[in-house]
Amino acid sequence: MQIHDQTPISVIREQEKESPAQKIARLETELAAAKEETLTVMEATAFLYEELQALKGGTT
């Protein structure tokens, strides 16, 4: 099991004070960052796959 978000308890307590609108804005920002990271990984994977196919003499 991996723990991805090891947020300090002081930060968690501060976040509990957020208004619903502030929480939504923060979560939307975090989601956008996670999507960008996933897209970057997918693009890198596709690039490496294409390079591997080219080295094997296959078509891309």
Side-chain angles (χ1 to χ4, degrees), residues 4-60:
H4 294 282
D5 186 14
Q6 297 180 348
T7 306
I9 191 69
S10 59
V11 173
I12 293 172
R13 296 283 185 242
E14 190 63 34
Q15 289 174 346
E16 289 176 348
K17 298 177 186 176
E18 290 177 321
S19 72
Q22 289 171 320
K23 187 171 186 176
I24 289 170
R26 179 178 55 81
L27 292 174
E28 286 177 339
T29 300
E30 290 176 11
L31 178 60
K35 284 183 176 181
E36 181 66 29
E37 182 179 327
T38 299
L39 181 60
T40 301
V41 169
M42 291 173 61
E43 289 172 342
T45 302
F47 174 78
L48 290 174
Y49 177 77
E50 290 171 358
E51 291 293 312
L52 179 62
Q53 291 301 312
L55 288 172
K56 287 183 174 180
T59 59
T60 57

